[in-house]
Amino acid sequence: MTDLQPLSWMILVFVGLFLIVLAYVLFSASAKHASGKKIRQTGEKGAPGVCPVCGTVLARGEQVKSAVYPGEDDRLCYIYGCPHCYPSCENEVHRQCPVCHKTVPNEAHLIARYFDRRKGKKRVHILGCSNCRFMS
C-alpha cells in the first residue's frame, strides 16, 4: 500500500464533511416548507392531543388555553385555542367552530361543558363558538 500524502488526507476529510452536510440538508429539508418553516401537522378535531379550534396536533408541552368555571358536576368551560391559533394565528392556521363550521375570530372562543365521568375521567363536550351559541 502507498502512504497518503497530507494533501490527500485533507481532500478526504473535506469530502467526508461535505457528504455529512449534504445528508443533513437533505434529511432536514423533508420536514420543512420551501420557506424554511416546519410543516404543521393537522389531525381530527376531538382526538386527544389535537386543538379543537384549529386542528393542529400539539407537540409535547403545548397546551390548549381554556378557562373552567366553578360548579358541581357539570361546569362551563371556555376554550380559547392552542399556541398556534391563540392569541394570534400563525400563517395558514384557520380557527373553525366544530359545530357551525364557520371561522372563529381571534377574540371569540368555544363554549363547552366540562364534567367528570366515573373513574375520574374528565370529558369536554363542545356546544359551539361564542357566535353561534348565543345566536340560537
Side-chain angles (χ1 to χ4, degrees), residues 73-123:
D73 294 334
D74 188 7
R75 296 185 272 177
L76 182 65
C77 177
Y78 287 174
I79 301 171
Y80 298 101
C82 67
H84 302 279
C85 66
Y86 182 81
S88 62
C89 282
E90 295 177 351
N91 289 337
E92 300 179 11
V93 175
H94 304 288
R95 294 170 48 100
Q96 184 181 23
C97 176
V99 176
C100 68
H101 303 289
K102 293 182 182 175
T103 301
V104 177
N106 286 343
E107 62 276 357
H109 54 273
L110 299 181
I111 300 170
R113 290 176 45 218
Y114 177 86
F115 50 94
D116 295 325
R117 286 264 173 105
R118 291 178 234 91
K119 299 180 185 176
K121 291 187 178 182
K122 296 169 176 46
R123 299 287 183 214

Side-chain angles (χ1 to χ4, degrees), residues 3-48:
D3 291 329
L4 292 176
Q5 299 293 325
L7 181 63
S8 300
W9 278 107
M10 283 192 344
I11 291 173
L12 286 176
V13 168
F14 283 120
V15 167
L17 287 174
F18 175 75
L19 290 175
I20 290 172
V21 169
L22 181 67
Y24 174 76
V25 168
L26 288 176
F27 288 115
S28 66
S30 64
K32 294 184 179 182
H33 282 289
S35 64
K37 294 183 179 179
K38 285 192 173 183
I39 297 172
R40 181 177 69 95
Q41 295 180 349
T42 57
E44 183 179 339
K45 294 179 184 179

